[in-house]
Amino acid sequence: MSVFPAVKISDHVYWVGAIDWTIRDFHGYRTGQGSTYNAYLVLADTVTLIDTVKKPFCEEMLARVASVIDPARIDCIVSNHSEMDHSGGLPEVIAAVKPERVYASAMGKKTLDDHFGIGDLIHVVKSGDSIDLGSMTLEFLETRMLHWPDSMFTYCVEEKVLFSQDAFGMHLATAERFADEIEPSILEYEAATYYANILLPYSNLISKLAETLSQSPWKPEIIAPDHGPVWRKDLDTIIGHYTDWALQRPSRKAVIVYDTMWHSTERMARAIAEGTASRGVDVKIMPASAVHRSDVAYEILDAGALLAGSPTLNNNLFPSMADVLTYLKGLKPQNLIGAAFGSYGWSGESVKQIEEVLTAMKVSLVGESIACLYAPDQEMLDRCFCLGVTVGDELVKRCDA
Ligand code: FEO
């Protein structure tokens, strides 16, 4: 009996990854449901391991391999992605199994060499290359910047399994290994959150990738990502979500993110929200002190407007707002309109600073930003309501165009 069994995902392919039930932060993204680091064993004549796991989980991965074959029988390793959650365990695995070959993209070779000094062991493969495993064939497609410059897909022709590394994954630790065993609403939420927080900046590349895959001779029946469950049914659903998310079409949804010192900016946010909602727009108010930056990223994924409010603290944005806006700026959401608002006591830099960030994000500013001295009176709240109306009207116009 094995404490850590492998899970068969096709006739000759096994999941041999690790489940991380405890991780709650993945480079700034809150992973409230943990994650998995998926590795796969291809039992061809040439036994091949696709990716490894985060370093502390190496023992678990090798135990799962051992539940199927002696790990020393692994002949080849393919590193689809050299980020540490997939390659952290690679040096240890190489030392343990002494594979004949390790394959990676050219950038993968460089990254693995930069991290571990193992470049000499790596054989470079590129898009269109294939390797003959005797009874099976692996083909490769470079997917640069999804999610690092080294990333690539590997396709097992005979088993029709696409090893997609970060793409089509999610941070979700579960006992179930297949997506069809998990509640669809959970899958959609976790996949969307993952896309928003990891892949959003590369949406243009994902649109191109979706087109490449649709024209490819590859006809996968299983998608095996490096995080979360394996897709073996309704592959069009997750591919369709990626196609939609990558387009970032504006919808009638506005996200208002703010923080507040003495409730003035909060009252402004609520008045703006009433104005926006009065135009038939779905409004999501997100107090930065009560939500996580990755929750805001999730809400932005299908929004058409981003409104940001902050008091001025020591000539700057409130720290929680600087955090959220810096994070969102890095994710490069597209096709948003927006507005800036906030309260101040004397110097009042925050609203200007929000405008600068939104402009750098290519958010199209609508209406006039509002800076409120100390606390809003009725006239100020009316102005806020009117700004909300202006944003709502413009959003509806854009969505109907
Ligand atoms: Fe799951 Fe980009 O690493």
Side-chain angles (χ1 to χ4, degrees):
M1 188 192 86
S2 172
V3 174
F4 294 114
V7 178
K8 192 171 189 174
I9 68 163
S10 72
D11 286 348
H12 300 93
V13 177
Y14 289 79
W15 174 86
V16 290
I19 306 171
D20 187 346
W21 297 95
T22 59
I23 186 170
R24 289 295 179 269
D25 182 280
F26 192 95
H27 54 49
Y29 160 11
R30 184 171 65 182
T31 48
Q33 302 301 320
S35 191
T36 68
Y37 315 113
N38 299 336
Y40 300 94
L41 188 67
V42 182
L43 289 186
D45 292 346
T46 301
V47 177
T48 301
L49 180 68
I50 312 284
D51 282 322
T52 64
V53 293
K54 202 173 177 180
K55 194 171 189 297
F57 295 88
C58 232
E59 188 181 342
E60 179 177 335
M61 190 203 80
L62 288 170
R64 293 192 196 278
V65 173
S67 74
V68 183
I69 56 159
D70 179 353
R73 287 189 53 204
I74 293 173
D75 301 300
C76 285
I77 300 174
V78 173
S79 173
N80 273 337
H81 182 21
S82 56
E83 192 165 7
M84 293 301 98
D85 45 335
H86 311 298
S87 74
L90 182 59
E92 192 175 326
V93 175
I94 290 174
V97 309
K98 299 181 179 52
E100 287 168 21
R101 296 224 160 184
V102 182
Y103 295 96
S105 66
M107 283 304 294
K109 176 181 170 113
K110 181 181 182 315
T111 310
L112 292 170
D113 194 44
D114 289 345
H115 277 89
F116 307 120
I118 57 172
D120 289 348
L121 300 178
I122 312 292
H123 293 259
V124 169
V125 288
K126 59 183 186 311
S127 291
D129 284 354
S130 63
I131 56 174
D132 182 357
L133 304 181
S135 50
M136 281 181 237
T137 316
L138 295 181
E139 296 181 348
F140 303 100
L141 173 69
E142 290 168 86
T143 57
R144 293 190 71 152
M145 296 317 299
L146 301 174
H147 134 259
W148 271 19
D150 64 288
S151 298
M152 67 178 188
F153 284 2
T154 297
Y155 183 63
C156 181
V157 177
E158 290 76 9
E159 301 279 295
K160 297 188 186 329
V161 179
L162 176 63
F163 301 102
S164 62
Q165 40 93 23
D166 279 345
F168 309 119
M170 65 188 74
H171 287 311
L172 177 64
T174 54
E176 297 81 15
R177 293 279 61 80
F178 296 97
D180 52 274
E181 299 170 329
I182 299 168
E183 171 63 38
S185 62
I186 295 174
L187 292 176
E188 184 170 344
Y189 171 75
E190 294 296 348
T193 303
Y194 182 92
Y195 186 99
N197 283 278
I198 301 280
L199 297 172
L200 189 63
Y202 313 111
S203 289
N204 292 343
L205 295 173
I206 285 171
S207 293
K208 285 183 193 151
L209 176 65
E211 201 179 321
T212 301
L213 288 178
S214 71
Q215 294 167 358
S216 160
W218 295 357
K219 300 296 171 214
E221 292 179 358
I222 291 174
I223 295 179
D226 273 359
H227 296 290
V230 171
W231 305 90
R232 64 180 173 184
K233 290 183 184 171
D234 305 324
L235 304 191
D236 286 347
T237 303
I238 185 65
I239 293 171
H241 280 319
Y242 267 55
T243 306
D244 284 347
W245 293 331
L247 289 173
Q248 291 189 63
R249 280 191 214 97
S251 74
R252 291 187 184 202
K253 173 181 169 184
V255 174
I256 301 177
V257 58
Y258 74 94
D259 210 340
T260 198
M261 199 182 309
W262 295 107
H263 300 290
S264 294
T265 305
E266 179 179 35
R267 292 173 64 209
M268 296 171 79
R270 292 169 69 97
I272 291 169
E274 291 292 331
T276 307
S278 74
R279 316 315 278 179
V281 169
D282 176 23
V283 177
K284 190 90 187 172
I285 300 185
M286 306 195 80
S289 57
V291 299
H292 193 269
R293 64 180 87 87
S294 43
D295 298 328
V296 181
Y298 165 77
E299 294 295 346
I300 284 293
L301 181 60
D302 65 349
L306 168 63
L307 299 92
S310 173
T312 296
L313 176 67
N314 298 330
N315 308 106
N316 272 294
L317 291 172
F318 215 62
S320 56
M321 285 304 296
D323 178 318
V324 169
L325 290 175
T326 301
Y327 189 71
L328 290 180
K329 183 179 161 199
L331 292 174
K332 300 183 176 67
Q334 297 169 28
N335 304 325
L336 291 170
I337 62 170
F341 62 97
S343 59
Y344 68 100
W346 44 99
S347 58
E349 289 90 345
S350 65
V351 172
K352 200 82 195 153
Q353 290 175 5
I354 291 172
E355 283 182 347
E356 286 167 7
V357 178
L358 294 181
T359 302
M361 290 170 65
K362 300 189 173 58
V363 173
S364 177
L365 294 175
V366 174
E368 216 174 297
S369 303
I370 302 179
C372 167
L373 178 64
Y374 288 119
D377 56 13
Q378 190 55 50
E379 189 183 338
M380 178 58 73
L381 292 174
D382 289 347
R383 265 185 74 192
C384 289
F385 183 91
C386 289
L387 176 60
V389 167
T390 303
V391 171
D393 283 344
E394 179 62 23
L395 185 53
V396 169
K397 197 167 84 183
R398 286 186 174 222
C399 291
D400 290 349

